Amino acid sequence: MALTKISVAKGDGIGPEIMDATLEVLQAAGAQLDYEFIDLGEQVFLRGIMNGIDPQAWESIRTNRLLLKAPITTPQGGGYKSVNVTMRKAFGQYANVRPVRTFDGFVPSKHKGVDMVIVRENEESLYAGIEYRQTRDTCHGVKLISRTGTELIVRYAFEYARANGRKKVTCLIKDNIMKITDGLFHQVFDLIGAEYPDIVKDSLIVDIGMARIADTPEKFDVIVTENLYGDIVSDIASQVAGSVGLAGSMNLGVGCAMFEAVHGSAPDIAGKGIANPSGLINAAVLMLYHVGQGDVAAKIGNALLVTLEKGQHTGDIAVDKSKALSTQQFAHAVIGNLGQTPTKLTPFASVRGKGVVMPNPKTTTQSKRTKRLVGVDVFIDADTVDSMALGTKIAQAGTPVLPLQLMSSRGMAMFDPKHPSKKPETEAVTDLWACRFVGDEGKISNLDVRTVLGNLEGLGIDWVKTENLYTFDGVVGFSGRHGA
Ligand code: NAD
């Protein structure tokens, strides 16, 4: 059998330790792989490459289209951008697939019979990390949800369910609050789901959905959700199932496929040789199925299960911590168990399902729509608590075709020019104000918007951002204000 060439990144923190352990297991199991080692992450940033990806690494990934990757450290609250997010977007990896299961009787968990797969949208939502600071006091994050991106992930989830004999797909959304972004995700779920009558469909508001996953995880099958919710829910699910150290995941799409553990670089235990390599080993198992080496995948998967059945555990899951194995001892235990089949836990099969049809962006439906400009929200920076005086001034910037309709702060109505002396329900506590100018649908243009902006400048108002307001096929494409 010809060797399959893959790029391998050892990552940061516990990355090198768990990658070495995983490669030892792959080697012993006879995986037909040829490794090309690349640098990603912290060491690359330290060399001054600001996206954290070495040019030679880009080339290797583009050519091999397969990457086994250990976790990478991303600084919190500042510093360089996440290499993981860059990779997922650059290589069009729209689907992040995270199987989670319990190992009943062998890995302590409050739950039994958990066997779910989280299909997480991987390129959009708040997780895209598109953020701005506009004023002394405020910043905005962009929650981007596209119809194309949503169709891809939802269709993938149903295709995955069908190919793997799964019965139900549950969609997690928050469309009672985010009616436009999460509303679109939910609509697309209903639309695409109708094409899969053989699969049960269910949707839950994300907060109660996560509570139920923590409480009765055994009731879930396939979960499809947006990027940020999927990130949170997969850590909850894998922790509930025993340890974040156990779950592997794959990132699939139109470019290269990337396989990694669900957990991060665990700096708190890095260098101690005690990390559980199972998450990365499970990711490697997913990769072997993906490249058609199902027999080796099953051999490793089963050896891992036998290892757990024998109570050969790393510290994160060991009941008797004094008997916990090191990362390397655990890898050697798995190697010693190669060729054995678990006695209680369901074994891995050498062939997995029918192979999932990966949807292509070109095949997604695009609704026909007539888009009409109806107004603009102009965000202004004004450090005042006197909303009536500010609103009265802003109203002067309106024109006969594009008058001020409302001024708000943090989504609360603060000034209505039709009732200029009406006091708002609450005082503004911040310095960013949204001023909504609305005209007749189809009768205004960007020129009118520019006139309003020019008028604001003439009044000495600091406008910091604008958001045009449109209708699509007559349906309003923007949110209203509370208390208006
Ligand atoms: P983490 O998953 O690294 O660690 C959370 C907790 O779980 C820690 O107590 C850690 O010791 C433990 N843990 C994680 N993996 C383990 C393992 N294999 N064996 C035993 N215990 C394990 O999450 P974090 O602390 O929030 O993040 C640390 C860093 O990892 C951050 O920089 C974050 O951005 C990054 N991260 C990277 C990825 C990735 O590369 N895909 C994913 C998540 C987090």
Side-chain angles (χ1 to χ4, degrees):
M1 189 180 192
L3 298 183
T4 303
K5 193 157 187 183
I6 65 166
S7 307
V8 175
K10 292 197 174 186
D12 303 319
I14 58 169
E17 301 159 48
I18 58 171
M19 183 59 87
D20 287 344
T22 303
L23 295 180
E24 256 195 84
V25 173
L26 284 167
Q27 166 82 21
Q32 298 298 297
L33 300 169
D34 179 14
Y35 307 121
E36 188 163 59
F37 291 93
I38 58 170
D39 281 343
L40 293 178
E42 232 172 5
Q43 331 91 18
V44 183
F45 290 114
L46 294 175
R47 295 210 300 267
I49 299 173
M50 288 328 288
N51 62 12
I53 309 171
D54 195 270
Q56 170 259 333
W58 279 111
E59 213 33 58
S60 165
I61 300 166
R62 264 193 220 109
T63 311
N64 299 329
R65 294 172 64 85
L66 288 166
L67 170 62
L68 182 63
K69 181 185 132 315
I72 288 172
T73 299
T74 310
Q76 286 176 263
Y80 49 81
K81 287 209 85 133
S82 162
V83 172
N84 299 312
V85 176
T86 304
M87 300 276 298
R88 291 167 188 164
K89 289 195 205 188
F91 294 108
Q93 296 165 347
Y94 60 78
N96 187 331
V97 185
R98 299 180 153 189
V100 177
R101 57 169 291 185
T102 43
F103 302 90
D104 302 342
F106 301 104
V107 175
S109 163
K110 294 188 183 103
H111 304 277
K112 276 203 308 214
V114 178
D115 180 14
M116 73 173 101
V117 179
I118 295 156
V119 177
R120 162 187 172 192
E121 199 289 320
N122 219 12
E123 298 176 282
E124 303 190 344
S125 146
L126 279 172
Y127 206 91
I130 303 166
E131 300 178 306
Y132 304 93
R133 177 173 175 183
Q134 286 98 2
T135 68
R136 174 190 51 78
D137 198 42
T138 58
C139 1
H140 275 181
V142 175
K143 175 160 180 164
L144 188 147
I145 300 287
S146 76
R147 187 181 188 87
T148 305
T150 309
E151 279 197 23
L152 284 173
I153 196 65
V154 168
R155 198 177 285 286
Y156 176 84
F158 280 105
E159 288 291 332
Y160 180 95
R162 209 175 243 178
N164 289 280
R166 299 260 170 186
K167 304 280 178 283
K168 185 167 82 170
V169 179
T170 303
C171 173
L172 300 182
I173 20 71
K174 186 80 184 170
D175 59 344
N176 53 335
I177 301 298
M178 286 161 278
K179 296 172 197 290
I180 296 181
T181 48
D182 284 30
L184 175 61
F185 200 94
H186 198 170
Q187 270 169 32
V188 169
F189 176 77
D190 290 343
L191 183 83
I192 303 292
E195 295 176 29
Y196 297 83
D198 48 321
I199 311 273
V200 178
K201 286 150 286 274
D202 187 16
S203 55
L204 287 171
I205 300 287
V206 66
D207 37 1
I208 188 64
M210 292 210 194
R212 292 214 182 129
I213 288 164
D215 187 46
T216 49
E218 67 283 355
K219 292 201 174 148
F220 289 84
D221 194 349
V222 175
I223 291 169
V224 64
T225 191
E226 293 166 17
N227 203 343
L228 179 61
Y229 304 152
D231 182 50
I232 299 168
V233 81
S234 45
D235 266 25
I236 294 176
S238 45
Q239 188 66 48
V240 155
S243 163
V244 290
L246 292 169
S249 81
M250 50 186 179
N251 300 271
L252 305 171
V254 290
C256 103
M258 178 166 93
F259 300 82
E260 60 182 343
V262 166
H263 62 77
S265 58
D268 53 336
I269 55 166
K272 296 185 178 163
I274 56 169
N276 187 345
S278 301
L280 193 57
I281 296 175
N282 272 319
V285 167
L286 292 170
M287 182 184 71
L288 288 169
Y289 280 118
H290 183 78
V291 301
Q293 297 186 35
D295 47 350
V296 192
K299 193 170 166 189
I300 297 176
N302 286 332
L304 193 59
L305 295 180
V306 172
T307 309
L308 296 178
E309 281 188 348
K310 287 183 179 171
Q312 297 169 303
H313 290 170
T314 42
D316 55 326
I317 54 171
V319 182
D320 180 354
K321 301 285 177 208
S322 68
K323 293 204 181 120
L325 302 184
S326 69
T327 309
Q328 213 187 22
Q329 286 167 333
F330 182 84
H332 291 165
V334 174
I335 291 169
N337 294 326
L338 284 168
Q340 298 180 43
T341 312
T343 49
K344 295 267 170 45
L345 298 169
T346 312
F348 283 74
S350 55
V351 183
R352 195 168 250 208
K354 285 184 285 174
V356 185
V357 178
M358 288 301 294
N360 189 297
K362 292 197 184 92
T363 59
T364 56
T365 65
Q366 279 300 334
S367 64
K368 276 184 119 188
R369 80 285 184 282
T370 308
K371 176 174 134 179
R372 292 217 168 91
L373 183 68
V374 292
V376 63
D377 275 351
V378 183
F379 294 81
I380 65 157
D381 182 347
D383 216 347
T384 176
V385 287
D386 190 348
S387 53
M388 290 212 269
L390 182 65
T392 307
K393 188 171 179 187
I394 301 280
Q396 293 168 37
T399 65
V401 291
L402 201 51
L404 180 72
Q405 187 193 59
L406 191 72
M407 189 179 77
S408 59
S409 168
R410 297 199 299 178
M412 258 328 269
M414 301 303 291
F415 177 80
D416 179 350
K418 289 203 180 101
H419 307 282
S421 51
K422 190 181 161 208
K423 279 195 156 217
E425 290 297 329
T426 175
E427 269 201 356
V429 294
T430 185
D431 51 7
L432 184 73
W433 304 77
C435 308
R436 178 161 290 182
F437 296 85
V438 175
D440 286 338
E441 184 176 304
K443 294 202 177 140
I444 55 168
S445 70
N446 277 339
L447 199 58
D448 298 301
V449 172
R450 276 163 51 194
T451 304
V452 168
L453 295 178
N455 292 347
L456 285 168
E457 278 168 36
L459 290 164
I461 302 283
D462 179 16
W463 62 269
V464 291
K465 172 185 152 121
T466 66
E467 194 76 64
N468 279 2
L469 310 175
Y470 297 103
T471 60
F472 294 83
D473 296 330
V475 178
V476 168
F478 46 91
S479 52
R481 294 282 173 259
H482 296 285

